């Protein structure tokens, strides 16, 4: 097929001979297997699970039918069906028997709530009739309680008053989503509702064998599971895509063995997370006062925090047992290596995840007690089988960033002292290796320059739980503009104009050099670009109208020069198309579930399969993966992100990018950076130390850039330390391109509040969903921007298009 034929024409042609790959059986099967591998067995007392064949079962809770395949917004996907847990159990045939009257009650109730406008995961738990509960007790051996939750782009999780910050009551009344949240979860969806508690009490009064299934996209309260002996088992099913209910059912019945491990710390209370206190302090800013002590770095380090943990980072049970033995740990000039033997000592095939942590000296900089350095998942081990696992990482990865000059300012430093290594199956379940690494002098690993220093963050946490004061720097108004600033209504949800040109231009090149000649090596890109006017260059720096099944607009689109109009597509849980086109795609498990597989090779397969669907539908840029850090459970978009740990985020994100780009489809890694809250996301200032930025919030992106070289990165809506990310030269040019060697194109998120000319100057190449050429031209006339800067960004846009098939 000739280059750009697929992105330029409709109708869609099957990617493979005689059949379409979009939502094909193989992709659906992969979605289910990925879901099974990332679900986490939290509890299994008295070996209640897997359920024995012939078990009589009662499904309690509207969640048995109110199934959430994934989050909302860019993470939503149109599918031909979804399987809830009831469906999944029924698909097991006669393996178990269900109490149907109870199921019928929940089915009818959920369907009625849907008819009244409720969304999956946002329904109200109905009052359970006593007669049905008694009937279930008389029929069933085991009760399964199902809890489901939904969250979405554009709003954060929690109670109504804090969720929408400083909105007035009048504004709340006009906000449909806010009213739905308040109605379904008056105390916040982190907690069980009063109706859910009442239902659970009725179950506990009648059953001795109870399992819980959680169909959620992020952290919820699980203290009621851990601390109640009447609840024997719990499966964290996450949001498992279109086949999630079937995946849950198969694991419950032993058709597969849970091998997921938590990529977040589950604490006893929402208030136990240090970021909760100021999460909703203001709509205008967020103070990252916990600094580098995020997730397990906080709970394993700060005095008194360990006791607050319910389920630790890296935790997850199996139906079998494993023996993990460290054979040896050694070093080379640049790396640390470990050889670990993993043996399945149980009676069921299963997989285990080996995790290597290190502990460095506290020194002058202070450090978390433990940091994840490497991990590896075994293959499926049969009973009695042993696998030798090799782990390795760079010594430089143990360095800490000195942002205040306590040793050497703006440098990554390996402080003198002893470094210890811990190997096991969770951050809490490890054994210390006999080997230690000792330095007698500080080593400067990398000397950098100060960038993105905080301007308003007054203090940050230290490793002993106290706080140190930070220097304050002046910062210009982030809304500053050389001329009148656009009003919100002039930039929000404005779509690109359809570009008109005469008929003659379509058929008469008039001597114009054609882009295909660049692709075929007959013409240099410099020669091609030299003929473009400033106006044509500016055209390339803004989003282009939708074509075909696209609904997130495109780029390129200079037909008289043969530059195709290349379309983009959301999203992080599957290909998201224009809803009106009626094309269904594969809904993959949410990113948090994929991370809990601890299996980058599996994530690579998902990326490759999803990219095939993107390509088949004549699209070229997939706006995924999203790799922001789970700073706090309340972020409404956590389901799109991988983990509280930047190494997990980086490794999983890199695997996804490699899988996508193996199909000559561009991955767009987002949201760069510190986009950890949805409330007022377009104007909120993330106030964070340079050290925390580099070690936590930038680190995942850095790993992806260096390991996978994504073709695009998406700057985020928010500001960082008083500067909008899309306008930040320090972020996009100094760090991303200068320090990390990024070679691709940077796009804004859609309809940012950044000023287009300032974004181009910063190194943000593409303004989405539409550009503002007349404003950029005005800035050029004022001497604020030159043609060279236009050419630089236009070159990156064109280089991206050249990579597309």
């Amino acid at each position: 097929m000739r280059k750009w034929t697929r992105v330029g024409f409709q109708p869609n042609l099957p990617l493979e001979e005689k059949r379409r790959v979009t939502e094909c059986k193989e992709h659906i099967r992969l979605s289910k297997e990925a879901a099974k591998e990332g679900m986490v067995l939290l509890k299994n007392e008295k070996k209640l699970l897997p359920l024995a064949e012939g078990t009589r079962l009662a499904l309690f809770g509207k969640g048995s039918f109110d199934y959430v395949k994934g989050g909302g917004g860019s993470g939503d996907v149109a599918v031909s069906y979804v399987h809830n847990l009831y469906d999944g159990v029924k698909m097991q045939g006669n393996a178990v028997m269900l109490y149907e009257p109870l199921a019928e009650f929940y089915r009818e109730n959920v369907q009625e709530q849907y008819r009244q406008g409720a969304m999956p995961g946002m329904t109200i738990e109905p009052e359970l009739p006593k007669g049905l509960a008694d009937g279930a007790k008389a029929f069933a051996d085991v009760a399964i309680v199902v809890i489901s939750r939904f969250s979405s782009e554009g709003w954060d999780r929690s109670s109504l008053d804090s969720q929408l910050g400083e909105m007035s009551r009048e504004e709340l009344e006009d906000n449909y989503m806010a009213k739905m949240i308040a109605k379904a979860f008056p105390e916040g969806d982190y907690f069980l509702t009063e109706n859910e508690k009442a239902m659970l009490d009725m179950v506990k009064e009648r059953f001795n064998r109870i399992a819980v299934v959680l169909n959620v996209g992020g952290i919820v309260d699980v203290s009621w599971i851990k601390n109640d002996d009447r609840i024997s088992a719990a499966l964290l099913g996450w949001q498992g895509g279109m086949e999630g209910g079937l995946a849950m059912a198969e694991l419950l019945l032993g058709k597969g063995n849970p091998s997921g491990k938590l990529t977040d710390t589950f604490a006893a209370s929402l208030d136990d997370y240090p970021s909760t206190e100021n999460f909703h302090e203001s709509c205008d800013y967020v103070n990252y006062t916990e600094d580098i002590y995020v997730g397990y770095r906080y709970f394993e380090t700060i005095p008194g925090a360990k006791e607050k943990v319910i389920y630790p980072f890296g935790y997850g049970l199996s139906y079998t047992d494993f023996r993990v033995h460290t054979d040896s740990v050694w070093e080379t000039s640049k790396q640390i290596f470990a050889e670990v033997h993993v043996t399945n000592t149980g009676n069921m095939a299963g997989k285990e995840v080996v995790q290597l942590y290190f502990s460095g000296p506290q020194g002058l900089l202070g450090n978390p007690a433990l940091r994840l350095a490497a991990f590896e998942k075994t293959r499926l081990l049969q009973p009695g089988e042993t696998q030798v696992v090799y782990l390795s990482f760079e010594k430089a990865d143990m360095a800490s960033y000195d942002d205040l000059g306590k040793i050497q300012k703006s440098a990554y430093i390996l402080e003198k002292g002893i470094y210890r290594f811990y190997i096991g199956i969770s951050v809490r379940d490890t054994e210390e290796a006999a080997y230690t690494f000792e330095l007698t002098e500080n080593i400067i690993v990398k000397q950098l320059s100060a960038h993105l220093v905080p301007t308003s963050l007054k203090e940050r946490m230290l490793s002993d739980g106290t706080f140190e004061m930070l220097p304050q720097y002046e910062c210009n108004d982030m809304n500053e503009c050389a001329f009148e600033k656009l009003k919100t209504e002039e930039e929000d949800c404005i779509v690109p104009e359809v570009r008109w040109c005469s008929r003659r231009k379509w058929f008469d090149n008039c001597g114009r050099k054609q882009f295909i000649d660049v692709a075929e090596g007959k013409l240099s890109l410099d020669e091609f670009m030299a003929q473009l006017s400033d106006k044509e260059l500016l055209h390339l720096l803004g989003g282009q109208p939708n074509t075909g099944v696209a609904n997130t607009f495109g780029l390129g689109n200079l037909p008289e020069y043969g530059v195709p109009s290349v379309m983009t597509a959301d999203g992080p849980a599957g290909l998201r198309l224009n809803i009106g086109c009626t094309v269904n795609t594969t809904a993959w498990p949410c990113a948090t579930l994929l991370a809990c597989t601890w299996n980058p090779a599996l994530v690579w397969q998902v990326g490759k399969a999803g990219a095939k669907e993107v390509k088949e539908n004549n699209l070229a840029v997939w706006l995924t993966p999203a790799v922001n850090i789970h700073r706090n459970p309340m972020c409404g978009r956590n389901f799109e992100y991988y983990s509280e740990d930047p190494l997990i985020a980086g490794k999983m994100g890199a695997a996804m990018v490699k899988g996508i780009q193996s199909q000559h489809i561009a991955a767009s890694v987002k949201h760069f950076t510190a986009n950890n809250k949805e409330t007022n996301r377009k104007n909120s200032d993330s106030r964070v130390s340079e050290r925390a930025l580099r070690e936590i919030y930038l680190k995942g992106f850095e790993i992806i850039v260096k390991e996978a070289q994504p073709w695009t990165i998406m700057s985020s809506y928010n500001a960082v330390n008083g500067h909008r990310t899309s306008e930040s030269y320090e972020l996009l040019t100094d760090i991303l391109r200068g320090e990390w060697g990024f070679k691709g194109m940077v796009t804004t998120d859609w309809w940012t509040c950044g000023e287009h000319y300032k974004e181009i100057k910063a190194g943000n190449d593409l303004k989405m969903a539409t550009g503002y050429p007349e404003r950029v031209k005005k800035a050029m006339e004022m001497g604020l921007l030159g043609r060279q800067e236009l050419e630089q960004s236009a070159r990156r846009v064109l280089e991206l298009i050249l990579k597309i098939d």
Side-chain angles (χ1 to χ4, degrees):
M1 186 179 292
R2 186 175 171 85
K3 192 171 183 70
W4 303 316
T5 297
R6 187 169 288 281
V7 298
F9 293 93
Q10 299 290 332
N12 304 339
L13 298 174
L15 193 63
E16 297 180 0
E17 187 176 355
K18 296 183 180 179
R19 68 148 200 170
R20 285 175 56 79
V21 301
T22 302
E23 207 190 40
C24 66
K25 291 180 180 179
E26 291 82 1
H27 288 183
I28 292 173
R29 187 181 306 117
L30 177 60
S31 177
K32 186 190 74 171
E33 293 307 315
K36 289 172 69 174
E37 188 150 333
M39 293 179 179
V40 182
L41 184 62
L42 296 176
K43 188 175 184 180
N44 197 21
E45 302 296 331
K46 302 175 184 177
K47 295 187 177 181
L48 174 61
L49 300 177
L51 298 171
E53 187 168 351
T55 298
R56 292 175 173 269
L57 198 60
L59 295 180
F60 287 91
K62 51 92 175 177
S64 53
F65 286 90
D66 182 30
Y67 170 71
V68 182
K69 71 180 188 302
S74 68
D76 200 6
V77 181
V79 294
S80 58
Y81 69 89
V82 294
H83 282 143
N84 56 42
L85 182 57
Y86 173 84
D87 296 333
V89 172
K90 293 295 287 185
M91 293 170 71
Q92 306 310 306
N94 296 323
V96 295
M97 291 172 281
L98 278 173
Y99 184 55
E100 292 293 350
L102 183 63
E104 185 61 24
F105 166 73
Y106 285 117
R107 179 191 293 110
E108 292 180 356
N109 180 272
V110 169
Q111 289 176 349
E112 178 58 28
Q113 291 194 58
Y114 287 169
R115 284 192 291 269
Q116 294 178 9
M119 300 172 64
M122 300 285 282
T123 57
I124 297 172
E125 185 68 42
E127 183 177 346
L128 177 62
K130 183 176 180 298
L132 275 179
D134 291 339
K137 175 186 177 182
F139 173 87
D141 309 313
V142 176
I144 293 184
V145 176
V146 191
I147 304 295
S148 63
R149 291 291 188 268
F150 171 83
S151 62
S152 178
E153 174 182 6
W155 50 276
D156 290 308
R157 300 172 54 214
S158 66
S159 64
L160 180 62
D161 287 330
S162 62
Q163 201 276 131
L164 293 167
E166 298 175 357
M167 271 191 177
S168 68
R169 276 288 156 185
E170 291 74 18
E171 290 174 308
L172 293 178
E173 288 303 314
D174 293 332
N175 190 302
Y176 173 77
M177 187 61 72
K179 289 189 287 187
M180 187 182 297
I181 296 167
K183 185 177 181 181
F185 306 107
E187 302 301 322
D189 74 342
Y190 179 86
F191 307 98
L192 291 178
T193 66
E194 291 303 315
N195 285 11
E196 288 170 334
K197 292 176 184 177
M199 176 268 293
L200 186 63
D201 286 341
M202 293 180 71
V203 174
K204 290 190 291 186
E205 288 171 2
R206 291 163 173 80
F207 287 87
N208 295 318
R209 304 174 72 201
I210 303 170
V212 172
V213 174
L214 298 175
N215 169 212
V216 298
I219 295 175
V220 294
D221 176 27
V222 292
S223 59
W224 57 278
I225 294 173
K226 177 68 178 293
N227 300 326
D228 195 332
D229 293 338
R230 290 169 293 180
I231 297 175
S232 300
L235 178 68
L236 177 56
W238 295 115
Q239 294 168 347
M242 61 196 298
E243 289 278 38
L246 177 57
M248 293 171 185
E250 290 188 358
L251 287 179
L252 292 173
L253 273 66
K255 293 184 177 180
N257 192 343
S259 64
K261 302 281 186 175
L262 296 179
T263 57
D264 293 296
T265 304
F266 280 61
S269 166
L270 180 59
D271 292 334
D272 291 334
Y273 297 90
S275 53
T276 297
E277 182 178 359
N278 58 28
F279 188 81
H280 285 301
E281 178 180 296
S282 172
C283 281
D284 298 326
Y285 62 84
V286 183
N287 288 324
Y288 288 51
T289 53
E290 74 284 354
D291 205 54
I292 61 172
Y293 300 100
V294 179
Y296 71 87
R297 285 169 165 80
Y298 169 81
F299 290 105
E300 302 303 312
T301 306
I302 304 302
K306 278 190 175 183
E307 294 73 24
K308 300 175 181 180
V309 175
I310 295 291
Y311 294 113
F313 179 86
Y315 170 87
L317 300 177
S318 171
Y319 293 153
T320 191
D321 297 308
F322 295 94
R323 182 175 65 250
V324 177
H325 172 71
T326 301
D327 184 70
S328 61
V329 179
W330 69 97
E331 66 174 286
T332 63
S333 60
K334 293 185 177 181
Q335 292 182 298
I336 303 292
F337 290 86
E339 180 182 314
V340 183
H341 292 231
V342 182
T343 303
N344 184 345
T345 60
N347 55 12
M348 183 176 181
K351 298 180 180 182
E352 183 57 283
V353 178
V354 182
Q355 304 163 39
L356 192 162
Y357 299 84
F358 74 89
S359 175
Q362 282 298 319
L364 293 177
L365 300 180
N367 281 297
L370 292 169
R371 280 189 278 172
L372 182 67
F375 61 90
E376 186 73 30
K377 193 165 196 174
T378 69
R379 64 178 180 268
L380 185 68
L381 297 178
Q382 299 300 320
E385 186 178 6
T386 297
Q387 179 180 345
V388 180
V389 173
Y390 295 96
L391 302 170
S392 66
F393 64 96
E394 300 288 326
K395 290 179 181 176
D397 293 341
M398 297 189 292
S400 302
Y401 187 77
D402 184 358
D403 55 359
L404 295 184
K406 295 178 179 179
I407 299 174
Q408 183 154 317
K409 194 174 188 307
S410 305
Y412 274 103
I413 300 168
L414 281 171
E415 284 196 81
K416 61 184 178 182
I418 297 175
Y419 293 76
R420 305 180 189 278
F421 305 96
Y422 302 83
I423 299 173
I425 56 175
S426 81
V427 73
R428 291 281 176 90
D429 192 355
T430 62
E431 290 188 2
E432 184 178 351
Y435 168 86
T436 59
F437 172 69
E438 186 171 4
L439 291 174
T440 57
E441 299 291 338
N442 295 326
I443 294 178
I444 308 303
V445 171
K446 186 182 296 183
Q447 181 65 58
L448 301 172
S449 300
H451 292 306
L452 302 173
V453 297
T455 56
S456 302
L457 185 68
K458 296 180 180 179
E459 62 179 10
R460 67 173 172 193
M461 185 180 290
L462 299 176
S463 60
D464 62 359
T466 63
F467 291 80
E468 70 175 350
M469 302 303 293
L470 294 174
Q472 303 295 290
Y473 300 91
E474 291 186 7
C475 180
N476 295 329
D477 179 4
M478 68 181 181
N479 293 313
E480 183 182 31
C481 183
F483 36 86
E484 186 179 0
K485 180 76 175 169
L486 276 175
K487 297 181 176 63
T488 301
E489 60 270 17
E490 294 175 315
E491 60 188 358
D492 197 24
C493 295
I494 304 299
V495 300
E497 292 182 357
V498 175
R499 185 166 176 265
W500 179 90
C501 65
S502 69
R503 285 187 191 176
R504 181 174 180 82
K505 285 187 178 180
W506 286 91
F507 298 103
D508 185 356
N509 293 329
C510 297
R512 295 181 180 90
K513 297 180 178 69
Q514 294 297 293
F515 195 47
I516 190 64
D517 291 332
V518 180
E520 294 177 350
K522 301 173 185 177
L523 184 72
S524 73
L525 188 53
D526 285 336
E527 290 172 317
F528 175 80
M529 290 181 60
Q531 69 184 323
L532 301 181
S533 66
D534 288 356
K535 181 178 180 181
E536 288 164 334
L537 290 174
L538 277 171
H539 176 80
L540 289 171
L541 306 188
Q544 302 301 313
N546 285 319
T547 62
V549 297
N551 73 340
T552 51
F553 310 101
L555 60 146
N557 192 27
L558 284 175
E560 61 269 39
Y561 294 96
V563 177
S565 188
V566 171
M567 291 295 109
T568 69
D570 275 328
L575 173 59
R576 185 169 179 257
L577 303 177
N578 189 318
I579 195 68
C581 74
T582 70
V583 175
N584 295 315
T585 63
T586 304
W588 305 97
C590 73
T592 305
L593 185 154
L594 290 178
C596 288
T597 67
W598 292 65
N599 189 343
L602 179 60
V603 175
W604 184 92
Q605 292 179 41
V606 172
K608 177 183 177 182
K612 286 185 175 181
E613 298 195 9
V614 173
K615 177 180 284 189
E616 184 170 72
N617 287 280
N618 298 358
L619 307 166
V621 182
W622 196 10
L623 307 176
T624 194
V627 297
N628 295 100
I629 295 298
H630 291 169
R631 176 178 176 260
N632 187 275
M634 290 296 95
C635 177
R637 218 167 175 179
N638 276 349
F639 65 90
E640 289 191 32
Y641 308 145
Y642 292 117
S643 174
E644 68 187 25
D645 181 75
L647 180 68
I648 292 286
K651 293 293 185 181
M652 294 301 173
M656 181 66 77
V657 169
K658 290 177 183 178
I660 293 168
Q661 294 184 174
S662 72
Q663 302 305 297
H664 295 280
I665 293 298
S668 188
V669 184
K670 59 187 187 182
H671 307 88
F672 192 56
T673 186
N675 186 184
N676 308 107
K677 178 181 174 181
E678 288 296 286
T679 305
N680 193 32
R681 58 184 177 166
K682 292 188 179 183
N683 292 290
S684 181
D685 183 18
S686 297
R687 299 174 174 177
V688 56
S689 78
E690 190 185 1
R691 181 181 182 184
L693 270 173
R694 289 187 176 275
E695 293 189 16
I696 305 294
Y697 300 101
L698 290 174
K699 183 59 69 175
F701 291 97
E702 181 181 2
I703 291 170
I704 294 169
V705 168
K706 292 180 176 179
E707 293 190 2
Q709 270 298 335
W711 295 352
T712 73
I713 281 181
M714 183 191 298
S715 57
S716 55
Y717 285 123
N718 57 288
V720 173
N721 292 327
H723 299 274
R724 296 189 185 278
T725 64
S726 63
E727 298 176 350
S728 175
Y729 186 92
E730 292 187 5
L731 177 66
L732 303 180
T733 298
D734 290 337
I735 294 176
L736 177 61
R737 293 192 169 98
E739 293 181 13
W740 301 350
F742 177 64
K743 303 300 183 185
M745 183 201 79
V746 177
T747 175
T748 67
D749 205 334
W750 273 227
W751 298 292
T752 65
C753 293
E755 184 60 48
H756 196 179
Y757 82 86
K758 293 170 70 177
E759 291 170 335
I760 296 170
K761 201 168 187 66
N764 201 121
D765 307 305
L766 181 66
K767 177 78 167 178
M768 293 298 280
T770 184
Y772 292 86
E774 69 286 349
R775 295 179 67 82
V776 178
K777 184 179 179 182
K778 184 174 182 178
M780 293 178 72
E781 292 169 351
M782 296 173 66
L784 301 174
L785 201 68
R787 179 179 169 90
Q788 183 178 356
E789 289 159 307
L790 300 188
E791 289 179 340
Q792 181 174 254
S793 288
R795 169 181 289 276
R796 294 174 186 140
V797 173
L798 293 172
E799 286 175 339
L800 170 63
I801 297 172
L802 286 170
K803 296 172 184 175
I804 304 298
D805 280 346

